[in-house]
Amino acid sequence: MLLLISPDGVDEALDCAKAAEHLDIVDVKKPDEGSLGANYPWVIREIRDAVPADKPVSATVGDVPYKPGTVAQAALGAAVSGATYIKVGLYGCTTPEQAIEVMRGVVRAVKDYRPDAFVVASGYADAHRIGCVNPLALPDIARRSGSDAAMLDTAIKDGTRLFDHVPPEVCAEFVRLAHGAGLLAALAGSVKAADLGALTRIGTDIVGVRGAVCEGGDRNTGRIRPSLVAAFRAEMDRHAREHAATAAAAATAG
């Protein structure tokens, strides 16, 4: 399971750089513009320069409307600015067909420029609160559009979390559908260390966090701290070891 951390600017990205050995992807977003709020192109460039070259930078394109051309241009801007993972929050898409149209435009725009870029179709665990596409539709949307991964986050940051809206057994189905489509499965949404056991068991490929590695657990007023990143990674690694040991024991017993 890869750890994706979301700083809100260059200063926090420098703190992520200090904890680079404990994380896998640095994700650029602007939390005050939404769950997957897009940051400025120059901030993406500055963060790309601030973190080690071997750490990929991800950038959110925003909680986007159903405007395929607009979104494709925004996605290309993120790629040109140095992001190799491009995440699109399908906030304004009310049907799978709309979402596929948006993501096909993103995939073409980004991969024409950089074929090795990684496109992530992101939906929302609390889709019922905002009227966008059903969470379990995301893997098929990602597959049909040529994206590389399907992701769930939460749209409304009011203290509710991923598992409050999509319980672990439904997240497991999301992961199964993504893997069946040849995609990576990413999960986020106020994820805490206590969730790592379930996320590991269901086979999550990428876990995205912010609040869990901020002072006071607050994604808005707290600041990312390298020590908290290290502690979160240690918990991830512990669960991975325990899961591997359990699987090995089951295989031997079988």
Side-chain angles (χ1 to χ4, degrees), residues 8-211:
D8 67 356
V10 178
D11 288 344
E12 281 194 342
L14 291 171
D15 286 330
C16 287
K18 294 173 186 174
E21 65 186 291
H22 304 295
L23 57 86
D24 300 293
I25 305 165
V26 177
D27 180 54
V28 186
K29 64 171 57 171
K30 199 167 182 286
D32 62 358
E33 290 196 15
S35 169
L36 294 170
N39 215 318
Y40 299 107
W42 51 89
V43 173
I44 299 173
R45 286 197 299 269
E46 289 172 9
I47 289 177
R48 173 64 279 174
D49 292 341
V51 302
D54 64 337
K55 297 295 177 184
V57 166
S58 162
T60 54
V61 175
D63 294 312
V64 305
Y66 171 53
K67 293 187 176 181
T70 299
V71 180
Q73 282 203 34
L76 176 59
V80 169
S81 301
T84 49
Y85 282 64
I86 312 296
K87 291 163 52 185
V88 181
L90 296 165
Y91 192 97
C93 295
T94 59
T95 67
E97 290 71 28
Q98 289 181 348
I100 291 164
E101 185 181 357
V102 168
M103 291 310 306
R104 280 178 175 162
V106 168
V107 169
R108 179 172 178 177
V110 168
K111 291 186 181 279
D112 279 355
Y113 172 75
R114 183 167 183 167
D116 65 338
F118 199 88
V119 177
V120 183
S122 299
Y124 303 91
D126 52 348
H128 60 284
R129 304 170 83 187
I130 58 173
C132 66
V133 290
N134 185 288
L136 290 181
L138 260 294
D140 191 56
I141 289 166
R143 178 189 66 81
R144 291 171 62 190
S145 63
S147 301
D148 302 289
M151 181 174 187
L152 289 183
D153 203 329
T154 50
I156 301 172
K157 301 297 186 180
D158 60 354
T160 60
R161 300 159 58 206
L162 172 71
F163 289 158
D164 292 331
H165 302 289
V166 181
E169 61 272 18
V170 181
C171 283
E173 176 67 2
F174 175 87
V175 171
R176 187 191 68 77
L177 290 170
H179 289 171
L183 306 164
L184 293 186
L187 294 170
S190 300
V191 168
K192 307 296 183 188
D195 302 322
L196 288 172
L199 291 169
T200 302
R201 286 192 298 274
I202 67 177
T204 310
D205 299 300
I206 302 171
V207 58
V209 301
R210 173 171 171 78

Side-chain angles (χ1 to χ4, degrees), residues 189-236:
S190 300
V191 168
K192 307 296 183 188
D195 302 322
L196 288 172
L199 291 169
T200 302
R201 286 192 298 274
I202 67 177
T204 310
D205 299 300
I206 302 171
V207 58
V209 301
R210 173 171 171 78
V213 295
C214 286
E215 296 167 313
D218 192 314
R219 74 188 297 272
N220 294 313
T221 62
R223 177 168 171 152
I224 290 174
R225 292 300 181 195
S227 61
L228 297 176
V229 175
F232 193 88
R233 187 51 181 250
E235 273 294 285
M236 282 181 62

